[in-house]
Amino acid sequence: MTAVLVAHAGKNGGTREIAEVISEELRALGHHVDTRDAADVADVTPYSAVVVGSALYYSRWRPSAVRLLQLHADALLERHVWLFHSGPCGPGAGLAHVSLPANVALLAARIDAERTTTFGGRLDPATAHGLLARLMARGPRAGDFRDWDLIRKWARDIGRRVTTEVSL
Ligand SMILES: Cc1cc2nc3c(=O)[nH]c(=O)nc-3n(C[C@H](O)[C@H](O)[C@H](O)COP(=O)(O)O)c2cc1C
């Protein structure tokens, strides 16, 4: 059994739910998984593999996810790390690939992370705070564009690679 950390950062719970589904798939493959808000991660050294996911807001990662990568860069370099972000909403959301924000791309290179995956996001009018959020949540981008089959498949691929590539 391999210990895996799945850390998430968002505002309205959509990214946390993605992290929970990823964790569920990893557990089903026999791994020991801790699912944590990125802000609550004090130490990554108990884990052999780490997944970090952030919601995208204004083309940026959430500060707590960036801080996690910054503060633990040395330890993460010695571990297998996968990154994802969630954001695109509306028609075509499932096809979108969003590049990492420049500050996160630098950190990803520093810790030698796997290529980042983009998942669709969720824009819920009920949780839209602020003028722009309310406007966005009224148009065609409102709704849940998270592709659970894709998310589960990505998680299972990671789970298998953790089994075969990560030393215990
Ligand atoms: C004000 C605002 C700005 C956003 N900016 C982006 C963006 O730049 N790129 C993107 O792909 N998604 C963007 N989104 C969509 C969010 O990333 C999406 O709703 C995501 O699922 C939110 O995750 P959370 O529920 O974990 O906070 C934005 C949403 C809002 C409300």
Side-chain angles (χ1 to χ4, degrees):
M1 188 203 294
T2 305
V4 185
L5 171 67
V6 180
H8 52 87
K11 281 188 185 181
N12 291 312
T15 311
R16 174 176 45 73
E17 289 171 5
I18 292 174
E20 285 165 357
V21 166
I22 290 168
S23 303
E24 195 181 301
E25 291 292 337
L26 293 172
R27 284 190 194 103
L29 288 171
H31 301 301
H32 172 87
V33 184
D34 287 337
T35 316
R36 298 262 185 276
D37 193 305
D40 298 333
V41 176
D43 187 8
V44 299
T45 59
Y47 306 98
S48 301
V50 179
V51 179
V52 182
S54 176
L56 285 160
Y57 280 88
Y58 303 107
S59 303
R60 304 188 72 84
W61 270 38
R62 301 297 299 148
S64 60
V66 178
R67 264 196 307 273
L68 191 162
L69 298 181
Q70 276 168 341
L71 290 176
H72 303 284
D74 290 345
L76 290 170
L77 179 59
E78 291 170 8
R79 288 163 174 78
H80 223 123
V81 180
W82 282 268
L83 307 177
F84 73 89
H85 47 207
S86 168
C89 294
L95 300 172
H97 172 76
V98 180
S99 301
L100 279 175
N103 62 330
V104 184
L106 282 173
L107 288 163
R110 185 170 157 206
I111 63 177
D112 200 18
E114 295 287 328
R115 185 173 172 272
T116 304
T117 296
T118 304
F119 295 127
R122 176 185 63 180
L123 264 177
D124 181 356
T127 56
H129 304 297
L131 180 63
L132 183 60
R134 282 202 300 278
L135 285 174
M136 284 170 72
R138 234 185 258 158
R141 283 191 281 186
D144 191 345
F145 299 91
R146 295 167 298 173
D147 181 340
W148 297 111
D149 288 344
L150 188 71
I151 292 164
R152 286 185 185 279
K153 182 181 174 307
W154 186 74
R156 284 196 298 273
D157 286 347
I158 289 178
R160 280 190 282 269
R161 288 189 57 190
V162 168
T163 304
T164 55
E165 295 174 24
V166 177
S167 55
L168 301 177

